[in-house]
Structure formats: C-alpha cells, structure tokens
Amino acid sequence: MGSKVRVGLVYGGKSGEHEVSLQTAFAVMGEFDYGQYEIKPFYITKQGEWKSGPVLLSPPESAEALRFQSNENGSSGSLAPLFAALDNGSGQVGHTAIVPGGDAHISGQTDVIAISGDTSAEAPIDVMFPLLHGTFGEDGTIQGLFEMANIPYVGAGVLASAVGMDKIMMKKVFAQEGLPQCVFRYFNRTQWEKDASFFIMECEVSLGYPCFVKPANLGSSVGVSKARNREELIEAVNYALRFDRKVIVEEFVDAREIEVSVLGNDEPKASVPGEIAPSNEFYDYKAKYIDGKSSMIIPAELPEGIAEQVRELAVRAFLAIDGSGLSRVDFFLRKEDNKLFINEVNTLPGFTPFSMYPLMWRESGLPYKKLLTSLIDLAVERHAAKQRIDYTGESVQ
C-alpha cells in the first residue's frame, strides 16, 4: 500500500458537536476510494483522549462503531497516537512534503529522498483530514497543531477557522468587506452578569422581538434559541452562555434560507445555491441531524439574478476570511423584497447524508468521491505553496 496516499481522519472531539462529527466521519469513510487512499483513523473522546487503531480498509458498520477504533494493537493517550503517526522514523515529528522538481524532504531535515521511499516500517501520514465540528476542531486549534507539525491538512487555516467559528469576529470582517447582514448585538458573560438590564434594553431597542440568541463560538445550531419576549431572551442568553463566554443576538428576518458551497484556495468557485425548508420553526439541531424531515431544494428556485449574486457574495465572504479548501456560506433572502443578507460562513460543513455541502456540489456536477479527492488535492496544493515562505529569515541578506 506504499503507493496510496495515507490520510489521517480525525473525528469526535471535545465539543457539543461530537455526535455530528461521528456522523460526518461515518459518511466520509463510506465514500473514500480505498484503491487510492489508505485511511488512518483518529478518534478523540469527549474528554480529549486520542485513540487510534489499525488502518481501516473499509468503513465500520455504524457511526457508533467509530467510537471504538482503539484496540489492543492500537494506541491511546493525549496526543501520542498522532505523534506516532507523524513520526518520520528519526524520532522527530515530520512528514513527506512535496517540493519543486518532484522530490520530497523530511520536515526539519536536509536529506532528500524519493517520494515513494518509506522512512519507517509504517509510513507517516501524508495529509490530515479533520472532521471535527465545533470547538477544538473547527476553531483553528487543531489547525495550529498541524501547522506546527508542518503537515498538509484539509480545509481552512488557523485564521480563517478562528474567524469562521467566532460569529462576532466574522460579522466584523463582513462589515469591513461591505457584505450585507442583519443587525446584531453581542456581549460576554462578565458584561451580562454586571449589567444584564442594559443589554436587554439594547436588544429590545435595536432588534425587537422575536430575535435569535446564539453562542458566539459553536455551530450546528447548538445553543441557539428564538426569543419572543424579555423572559425568553433572558432564558436564551443564560442557555447560550452554557456553551460559550460570548453571546450574539440577531434580529429576526422573515426570509428564505439559502446556502451555497465554496471550493478552492486562492481562486475559489461556488456551487449552485440550495434552499432549506426547515421541519421545525427554524433550522435547529434536530432539523439538521436527527429527523431528516427538512426539505432541501437544489438548485434553489430563485428570482432572476439572485443565484449569481449569492455565488458572488459567497466567494467574497470566503476570500474575506482568507478561506481555503471548503466552506458553506449561508444567506437569508428576505421575502418582502428579495434582499440578501449573509448569515455566516461555515469552514467545516457537515458531510452527513442530510448535509447540504456535498449535495450542492453533486448537483453542480461534482460527486462525493471526486469532492473528497479535490479537497485532498487542495490541501497538498496549499501546503506546497507555503513551503515557499521563509519562516526563519535565512534568506535575508
């Protein structure tokens, strides 16, 4: 299997979206081309323990089985399984990196070797594929770990991941870019505990009821509530503060929910837009991942010119946060006048059977298997470009 690309698949994690990650990992494992790729699974428990068992040649029978990859022949611990997989055989953490001319080198060393040459009995990981939704996976933290190890990885970098995860910072970037968005207010736990009455008044005056209350740093609609009055607003804020120290409150817009998938690095492309018709009052966690009753219309039936506008704004938003690899960009299309508002950029959208990201690309002519291959290719491309950067200053005369 030396000719296969060895992909480290990371899933689970210390996050409120742990279960979503299992579903995503199960779906992704089921679609990999095992003739081209070798999969090394890494499961992170809710307590943060890494577990790794033998390389999977086929996906497990169920998402629940993904919890138990570690066995007597595997390894577990803090980060030991990951470091063992990245070990280049010299006792250092490293990997095989593509360099101009078709050769390769081990990170931190000067020895040039052939790409096909193994440096240990078990070849190191070629590219990491994080499938960690939410905190400690989608927020730039694990991306920073991969950067330190100098290994290619799928998806957004540290900055884009952090900005895409923090809804407050994301909206500030959107405002700087001039992207249209709904009115919002925000505060942290300390501010709320010191002067809740001020922020209640500010939300009531600026946003009115109903309004939506969200943790600033979480996805999959975890911790999101719709507040129709002051009592519900207070309850919603206290609920959101269970998941993050910062809260964002947004105005309600009577709108259609439009989404579009973005794929690429410096020259990204957007898919056909899709529309979500939630089975519940809004597109919450249950509607996204449990009941499967929400309607997905792909491509979305939009007024003339709106589809192209959605795609253009999505690419602008992707570039504004310095995105790479993939993102799903969500919009509101106000019913009364068809005005578009950007809602958010999701830098690690789900790949479950109910997920919009792969479905929109499928309708755009890019099936699941080819989508996975494209993401891995983009990760290698981005990493190769970064090798041209002089981080040490040695080239300074």
Side-chain angles (χ1 to χ4, degrees):
M1 291 190 292
S3 62
K4 295 182 181 180
V5 176
R6 200 156 189 256
V7 181
L9 217 60
V10 189
Y11 55 90
K14 292 176 61 176
S15 168
E17 299 178 75
H18 183 99
E19 307 301 331
V20 179
S21 177
L22 293 183
Q23 293 186 44
T24 294
F26 179 61
V28 169
M29 285 185 187
E31 292 293 336
F32 258 108
D33 179 357
Y34 285 89
Q36 183 178 358
Y37 299 104
E38 179 183 340
I39 306 303
K40 176 74 172 180
F42 296 95
Y43 168 59
I44 305 178
T45 70
K46 288 184 177 181
Q47 292 72 41
E49 183 181 33
W50 288 60
K51 295 179 179 292
S52 181
V55 173
L56 291 181
L57 297 179
S58 60
E61 295 181 358
S62 68
E64 184 63 22
L66 290 170
R67 295 179 181 276
F68 306 106
Q69 292 304 328
S70 180
N71 60 17
E72 292 180 358
N73 298 320
S75 58
S76 66
S78 180
L79 287 171
L82 177 63
F83 290 151
L86 297 181
D87 188 352
N88 60 29
S90 66
Q92 302 180 37
V93 172
H95 70 284
T96 302
I98 305 300
V99 295
D103 288 330
H105 72 279
I106 298 300
S107 304
Q109 296 188 22
T110 58
D111 298 330
V112 176
I113 62 171
I115 290 177
S116 60
D118 290 341
T119 57
S120 63
E122 183 177 359
I125 299 295
D126 294 309
V127 59
M128 297 299 296
F129 199 143
L131 297 172
L132 298 165
H133 299 293
T135 49
F136 304 112
E138 195 176 348
D139 55 4
T141 50
I142 199 165
Q143 288 78 12
L145 177 63
F146 297 152
E147 293 282 355
M148 293 290 289
N150 194 31
I151 185 170
Y153 60 93
V154 170
V158 175
L159 175 64
S161 297
V163 173
M165 187 69 181
D166 191 314
K167 295 180 178 64
I168 296 170
M169 297 306 299
M170 182 198 310
K171 289 182 179 294
K172 289 182 177 181
V173 171
F174 289 165
Q176 178 66 30
E177 186 66 19
L179 296 171
Q181 53 187 333
C182 300
V183 180
F184 65 97
R185 293 293 181 267
Y186 60 91
F187 46 85
N188 59 38
R189 179 182 285 107
T190 300
Q191 292 171 321
W192 174 257
E193 290 174 348
K194 284 187 174 181
D195 198 355
S197 59
F198 169 80
F199 293 103
I200 292 171
M201 179 185 67
E202 185 178 46
C203 290
E204 290 179 338
V205 171
S206 303
L207 311 176
Y209 295 111
C211 58
F212 285 96
V213 182
K214 306 175 182 180
N217 285 277
L218 207 57
S220 298
S221 297
V222 174
V224 176
S225 304
K226 184 176 182 179
R228 302 165 188 80
N229 52 55
R230 181 175 294 188
E231 181 179 340
E232 290 187 358
L233 174 62
I234 295 172
E235 182 179 353
V237 170
N238 290 329
Y239 177 58
L241 285 172
R242 288 174 50 188
F243 302 98
D244 189 37
R245 57 177 287 273
K246 297 190 297 184
V247 167
I248 185 168
V249 187
E250 302 172 352
E251 70 169 326
F252 168 77
V253 177
D254 185 16
R256 298 164 62 184
E257 297 188 36
I258 309 298
E259 301 183 348
V260 66
S261 300
V262 179
L263 179 70
N265 288 331
D266 292 339
E267 298 179 311
K269 296 181 179 180
S271 70
V272 298
E275 180 174 3
I276 294 290
S279 58
N280 295 330
E281 188 173 4
F282 63 97
Y283 198 36
D284 61 4
Y285 185 93
K286 181 179 179 181
K288 286 183 178 180
Y289 301 108
I290 298 176
D291 62 21
K293 296 179 181 178
S294 295
S295 299
M296 298 180 183
I297 305 167
I298 309 173
E301 299 174 2
L302 299 172
E304 185 177 356
I306 295 296
E308 194 56 40
Q309 187 180 355
V310 167
R311 297 175 70 193
E312 177 191 351
L313 290 173
V315 169
R316 283 179 58 191
F318 182 88
L319 292 174
I321 67 168
D322 194 26
S324 56
L326 74 163
S327 284
R328 193 194 68 235
V329 187
D330 302 343
F331 295 88
F332 295 128
L333 181 63
R334 193 161 59 190
K335 294 179 180 179
E336 66 178 73
D337 57 3
N338 286 328
K339 180 175 175 59
L340 275 171
F341 298 93
I342 187 168
N343 179 26
E344 64 180 12
V345 170
N346 188 323
T347 59
L348 191 59
F351 277 81
T352 73
F354 306 127
S355 297
M356 288 287 281
Y357 186 87
L359 292 177
M360 287 187 286
W361 275 121
R362 186 186 69 182
E363 294 302 313
S364 302
L366 187 63
Y368 209 128
K369 276 186 172 62
K370 289 187 177 180
L371 176 60
L372 292 174
T373 298
S374 295
L375 290 172
I376 291 173
D377 290 344
L378 287 167
V380 174
E381 173 190 277
R382 178 172 179 266
H383 181 77
K386 292 183 67 176
Q387 304 313 297
R388 300 170 60 186
I389 301 173
D390 180 3
Y391 292 102
T392 64
E394 291 180 353
S395 63
V396 177
Q397 301 298 321

